């Protein structure tokens, strides 16, 4: 994969592409800064700079020069170049198919919509947001038509986040997943031996949480010479450049789980970015396969490592060095049960492992209905609440806790939510595959997680985006999308926690 | 000054110029991040991005489009546009006069030279750095010839940092300043009642220093909604954009003066940037007049406010809330004397107020000699040490403490050092002028520094770079460069501290 074997046009193409990466670094640093450090008054000018630089990237991605590279290198004999061209061509086509004026209107609409949504959520006033959402849905329908699809209009949108995954794929797995989760949740609800979280929800100073979170990142093998941990309101991981992959977290002094499991989650994303192949740096394939595969990495670490009983058997002593005195009175197993409490919530981002996929399915069904014009925006609040009641057994009393809770629609993103549930299933499948050569629990007991990280590096991270998600999954696990691994994991784990 | 009155070409020109400011924001955020937060491994790619973005700025500044705006708007009837065009034309000419290939060579040379210098300083090995410095001097001589000058070749370099100031200007004031400082230093040296710094050089936790530094910035009127304070190795202030002006400082737990006076100094720079006229934002005149005028602001706050006895009379109680217990035993006046100790040092950046200008004069005389080919690079160490002995009465034992101490030459900057001493004289002149309407001591005693800040806002900051430094000085103080104000200030202050 060294540049030595590239032709001169290939080298030129990579040099050209590197400009996009350079602008990307500036944009990502600005975004990180806005979400962690930037003073308020500078935000307005910063937004203008961000939009200026994004425009430059757009120009490079959709230029005649780019088209010329695509035409010249489509049949390159080098696999990296060939795949790179496929990736940039897809973006080129997606962008060029939308008339410039329409795209501008859409960008303006979404930038207004986000602040309207913020206010609407605060006031729990769906009607305020409705006209914007109606326009956003209409734009997404138009875009889907421009981009094209084979079977279902929603496929055109899904493809932006999870290439190769279609409505057909999802409709094959989601109903089974929903039914199986329904059975498990019923067992949880009727359990007579539920965990108690009272003892763990005690005041836990932020600095102590941070110190422990840093310890855990270190155990995971996160490279602090190529990253750092900062505080934010909405946690994220970001690759400012490939050797500068930062993690952020949020502290709730009355519930340490937010920061600790949030850090492990974002740390999982960061390990993916830090694990990309150095030989691919600055090429279009030096990127995650998809949102879903990215999420498989974060959920892998958060759930299969961080919420694993062996993890707490091994590290509870360490944890007690940071935790308030009162934790010393909590038996290790009770602590483990408490951090894994299953409890339906209105808010997706506060959901436990078991109910989380149901939140996603609700959004998926509504999005699919909207894009296929089978349901109308005006009916969303009612539909949302009905589905919450049906799937989770709870009904939001206000739209702020229901249809208005997520930012995604206001910024124009349709087709993104399914990746969260896909990542979860991918993750469980990867866990099964990894367990064939590596015993996660043993690695934890050895206080050496490097075999786990190494396996993920070799099987996922190093490959960049050379393959599409379902192809990669097949290559690594030997099978296609299969929800059984997730169900099996949840059945085993929660049967023990809830003693059913 | 509103855009309402601009012609369409003027508006186009300002839009064009705004792109430079947008790139500038990205570049400055990256620089701030590199010096405060960035993980090590990401630095190499970051440097490439910085060089890419700087190239974009260079292209915009030297384009045919820029030339066309200059030609069209040279005689604009709007004073802001007219001055803006003068400023961009100067840069355009400076850049265009240097052949592209030569400039590239120079950039490569200096980027190598800086790391060679770092190593040479560590090893105190001037010979290692000598060949690079010789080439850098040769380039500066060539550039000065390309740019042109009336009387002295060094004027061409000075003009980049302090427009309108020439060797003639400096040679009129520096000898007198040197002689007067010599007399004062002699009085200090022979004083029988010197301050004692032992008691203040005690362990002072970083967090406490930071908390007090933040308090002082607040007293100065620094706007935290448009800025923030961070830690760094070499302190600086930076306007990431005009509403995001950040300050950095360095903590020495055994000498709190570094952080406290360093913060006040950088805070003075920041107040300048925060005080620029909003109507001028994103125009070429929304900038400091010169390096020297910038330095006049930082030194004003550091010395005339922060090292002022009234300041400590007023705020010593507050300081004691943060300082270690042992400070309670130090009488206020002894504390004040200790923070103003005069003591010749080898290292410029550790110098006190009185000896500081002598460090600058040594560099000025050597630079002038090199650029006029009156002295040779190989003789620098000897010449440096001789001058140190002559002016400061101390002789460095190694070049790391002498000729190798400053980074400036390695990055190619010649003509910059005089601005430090000019800023000091400007500052003292401004203090005299300000004192005619505002009593600094009274403002401090009222715990309200806003009249001081307001005066500087009105007389300096709000004017942007509409004028050249000596013209602005004349406008505000009624006279040209005059070292007497500085000498008078030092005489009064140190006569009292040293009881002569």
């Amino acid at each position: 994969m060294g540049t030595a074997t590239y032709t001169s046009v290939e080298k030129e193409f990579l040099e050209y592409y590197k400009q996009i990466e350079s602008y990307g670094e500036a944009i990502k640093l600005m975004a990180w800064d806005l979400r962690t450090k930037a003073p308020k008054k500078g935000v307005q000018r910063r937004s203008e700079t961000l939009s200026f630089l994004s425009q430059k990237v757009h120009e490079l991605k959709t230029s005649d020069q780019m088209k010329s590279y695509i035409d010249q290198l489509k049949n390159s004999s080098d696999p990296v170049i060939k795949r790179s061209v496929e990736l940039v061509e897809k973006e080129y086509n997606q962008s060029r198919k939308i008339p410039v004026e329409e795209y501008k209107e859409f960008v303006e609409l979404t930038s207004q919509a986000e602040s309207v949504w913020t206010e609407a959520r605060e006031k729990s006033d769906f009607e305020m947001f409705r006209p914007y959402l109606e326009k956003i849905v209409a734009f997404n329908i138009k875009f889907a038509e421009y981009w094209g699809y084979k079977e279902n209009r929603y496929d055109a949108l899904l493809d932006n986040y999870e290439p190769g995954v279609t409505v057909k794929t999802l409709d094959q797995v989601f109903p089974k997943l929903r039914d199986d989760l329904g059975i498990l949740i019923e067992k949880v609800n009727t359990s007579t031996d539920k965990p108690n979280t009272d003892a763990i929800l005690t005041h836990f100073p932020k600095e102590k949480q941070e110190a422990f979170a840093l310890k855990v990142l270190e155990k995971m093998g996160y490279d602090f010479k190529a990253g750092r941990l900062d505080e934010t309101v909405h946690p994220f991981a970001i690759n400012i450049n490939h050797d500068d992959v930062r993690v952020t977290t949020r502290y709730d002094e009355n519930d340490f789980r937010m920061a600790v499991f949030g850090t492990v989650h974002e740390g999982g994303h960061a390990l993916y970015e830090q694990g990309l192949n150095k030989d691919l740096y600055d090429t279009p394939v030096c990127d995650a396969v998809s949102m879903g595969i990215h999420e498989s990495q974060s959920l892998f670490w958060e759930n299969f490592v961080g919420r694993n009983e062996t993890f707490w058997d091994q590290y509870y002593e360490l944890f007690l060095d940071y935790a308030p005195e009162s934790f010393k009175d909590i038996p290790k197993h009770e602590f483990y049960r408490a951090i894994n409490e299953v409890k339906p919530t209105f808010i997706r981002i506060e959901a436990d492992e078991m109910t989380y996929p149901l939140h996603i399915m609700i959004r998926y069904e509504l999005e699919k209905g909207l894009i296929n014009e089978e349901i109308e925006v005006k009916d969303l609040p009612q539909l949302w609440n009905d589905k919450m009641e049906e799937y989770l057994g709870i009904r939001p009393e206000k739209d702020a806790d229901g249809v208005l809770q997520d930012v995604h629609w206001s910024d124009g993103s349709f087709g993104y939510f399914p990746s969260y549930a896909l990542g979860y299933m991918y993750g469980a499948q990867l866990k099964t595959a990894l367990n064939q050569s590596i015993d996660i629990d043993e690695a934890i007991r050895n206080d050496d997680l490097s075999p786990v990280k190494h396996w993920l590096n070799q099987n996922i991270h190093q490959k960049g985006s050379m393959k599409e998600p379902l192809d990669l999954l097949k290559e690594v696990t030997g099978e296609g999308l299969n929800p059984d691994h997730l169900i099996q994991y949840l059945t085993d784990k929660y049967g023990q926690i809830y003693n059913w």
Side-chain angles (χ1 to χ4, degrees), chain A:
Chain A
M1 285 180 183
T3 45
T5 61
Y6 292 141
T7 67
S8 64
V9 182
E10 287 169 347
K11 281 183 201 158
E12 229 185 74
F13 163 66
L14 292 175
E15 274 306 307
Y16 181 87
Y17 186 79
K18 192 173 173 182
Q19 298 179 74
I20 294 174
E21 291 280 306
S22 293
Y23 281 123
E25 176 166 12
I27 290 169
K28 286 182 285 182
L29 180 64
M30 289 193 157
W32 170 84
D33 184 66
L34 276 179
R35 294 163 78 179
T36 55
K37 313 276 174 188
K40 272 197 173 174
K41 288 189 183 173
V43 171
Q44 196 191 322
R45 184 63 179 86
R46 173 70 57 90
S47 313
E48 294 177 42
T49 297
L50 273 170
S51 130
F52 170 73
L53 295 174
S54 304
Q55 181 56 33
K56 294 283 157 197
V57 170
H58 185 77
E59 284 167 15
L60 287 168
K61 284 184 173 174
T62 58
S63 71
D64 294 341
Q65 180 64 61
M66 183 60 104
K67 177 76 176 118
S68 152
Y69 288 128
I70 292 167
D71 292 340
Q72 290 177 78
L73 298 175
K74 244 180 171 162
N75 300 311
S76 169
S77 59
D78 183 284
V80 168
I81 299 291
K82 199 172 156 60
R83 177 65 178 154
S84 292
V85 169
E86 269 171 43
L87 292 167
V88 298
E89 184 176 22
K90 184 171 171 182
E91 266 198 287
Y92 177 88
N93 287 335
Q94 300 281 77
S95 299
R96 297 285 288 221
K97 280 177 184 166
I98 299 175
V100 176
E101 279 312 308
E102 270 181 43
Y103 190 70
K104 265 195 184 166
E105 257 178 75
F106 178 67
V107 170
E108 274 163 35
L109 171 66
T110 52
S111 73
Q112 285 165 38
E114 196 167 326
S115 56
V116 173
W117 165 78
T118 305
E119 204 186 329
R121 189 179 62 161
E122 274 163 24
K123 297 181 176 163
S124 197
D125 180 355
F126 181 74
E127 276 306 300
M128 191 177 163
F129 182 48
R130 187 179 54 75
Y132 291 85
L133 186 54
E134 282 169 347
K135 283 184 202 158
I136 287 171
V137 169
F139 267 113
N140 271 281
I141 290 172
K142 272 206 277 189
F143 293 170
E145 288 298 325
Y146 288 137
W147 292 330
Y149 49 88
K150 281 188 191 144
E151 294 182 359
N152 190 300
R153 193 190 273 159
Y154 189 65
D155 291 347
L157 303 175
L158 269 176
D159 196 58
N160 285 330
Y161 305 101
E162 217 56 33
V165 171
T166 61
V167 165
K168 199 172 159 187
T169 325
L170 298 177
D171 285 348
Q172 271 165 4
V173 296
F174 277 178
K176 176 164 184 359
L177 183 61
R178 192 182 69 213
D179 291 347
D180 288 351
L181 289 174
I183 295 166
L184 292 176
I185 291 169
E186 183 58 24
K187 285 188 179 177
V188 161
N189 287 341
T190 56
S191 159
T192 54
D193 184 14
K194 292 178 177 159
N196 185 330
T197 58
D198 292 352
I200 68 167
L201 298 182
T202 188
H203 187 265
F204 195 145
K206 192 169 109 169
E207 294 69 30
K208 296 282 183 179
Q209 292 189 39
E210 186 189 25
F212 180 69
L214 287 168
K215 272 280 162 205
V216 177
L217 279 177
E218 199 184 305
K219 298 275 176 205
M220 290 170 67
Y222 174 78
D223 182 354
F224 283 96
K225 287 195 182 116
R228 46 180 290 126
L229 174 67
D230 293 277
E231 188 177 355
T232 188
V233 179
H234 301 290
F236 61 99
I238 191 166
N239 67 328
I240 289 172
N241 68 39
H242 291 309
D243 290 315
D244 182 358
V245 180
R246 306 187 187 182
V247 178
T248 65
T249 198
R250 174 179 170 189
Y251 301 96
D252 177 344
E253 294 204 314
N254 296 313
D255 186 351
F256 76 92
R257 295 175 298 181
M258 169 87 78
V260 169
F261 297 113
T263 302
V264 178
H265 182 97
E266 300 307 332
H269 281 304
L271 288 187
Y272 193 169
E273 298 288 340
Q274 286 190 339
L276 289 167
N277 187 340
K278 284 189 193 300
D279 288 340
L280 301 178
Y281 276 13
D282 283 324
T283 69
V285 298
C286 194
D287 200 358
V289 174
S290 68
M291 301 307 303
I293 298 290
H294 227 312
E295 201 67 14
S296 79
Q297 301 303 294
S298 52
L299 290 170
F300 189 102
W301 287 95
E302 180 187 351
N303 294 334
F304 310 146
V305 179
R307 294 185 193 270
N308 176 332
E309 183 155 27
T310 311
F311 184 88
W312 291 101
D313 279 341
Q314 177 68 25
Y315 297 119
Y316 199 57
E317 283 297 310
L318 178 72
F319 175 74
L320 291 178
D321 291 346
Y322 301 90
E325 276 297 304
S326 61
F327 278 79
K328 292 205 169 62
D329 301 330
I330 311 173
K332 205 154 51 172
H333 183 62
E334 291 312 310
F335 172 85
Y336 164 70
R337 294 180 71 206
I339 61 167
N340 283 294
E341 187 195 31
V342 173
K343 195 175 172 183
T345 54
F346 295 127
I347 304 298
R348 176 182 61 85
I349 59 166
E350 293 170 4
D352 56 78
E353 311 186 68
M354 197 178 287
T355 57
Y356 188 79
L358 299 172
H359 287 267
I360 301 307
M361 282 183 243
I362 292 171
R363 287 157 180 77
Y364 163 65
E365 289 167 21
L366 295 174
E367 287 195 354
K368 191 174 58 165
L370 286 167
I371 297 301
N372 287 300
E373 296 170 271
E374 291 155 4
I375 61 176
E376 285 182 67
V377 169
K378 71 173 172 47
D379 298 323
L380 275 182
Q382 166 93 28
L383 290 168
W384 181 288
N385 294 348
D386 290 349
K387 281 187 190 285
M388 279 296 284
E389 204 165 351
E390 187 190 345
Y391 294 180
L392 285 152
I394 54 176
R395 190 174 185 92
E397 288 182 7
K398 49 182 189 172
D399 291 334
D401 288 341
V403 68
L404 283 173
Q405 68 182 268
D406 288 308
V407 69
H408 306 59
W409 290 345
S410 79
D411 72 20
S413 307
F414 272 73
Y416 180 84
F417 281 118
S419 292
Y420 288 124
L422 287 166
Y424 206 1
M425 289 183 275
Y426 296 159
Q429 291 183 250
L430 292 174
K431 177 173 179 282
T432 305
L434 179 141
N435 266 340
Q436 285 165 9
S437 48
I438 290 157
D439 183 335
I440 297 181
D441 291 328
E442 197 191 311
I444 294 170
R445 277 190 298 266
N446 292 338
D447 188 24
D448 178 12
L449 294 168
S450 65
V452 177
K453 183 186 153 207
H454 182 74
W455 190 93
L456 294 169
N457 280 159
Q458 293 306 114
N459 287 280
I460 308 290
H461 311 168
Q462 286 283 304
K463 295 174 181 171
S465 53
M466 290 296 289
K467 285 205 159 58
E468 298 211 332
L470 295 181
D471 297 335
L472 178 68
L473 193 69
K474 182 104 190 187
E475 179 178 279
V476 179
T477 69
E479 61 179 346
L481 186 63
N482 180 355
D484 293 346
H485 301 268
L486 177 58
I487 292 298
Q488 191 59 49
Y489 157 75
L490 294 172
T491 305
D492 294 348
K493 177 172 177 177
Y494 288 90
Q496 188 230 10
I497 291 174
Y498 279 85
N499 280 314
W500 62 57

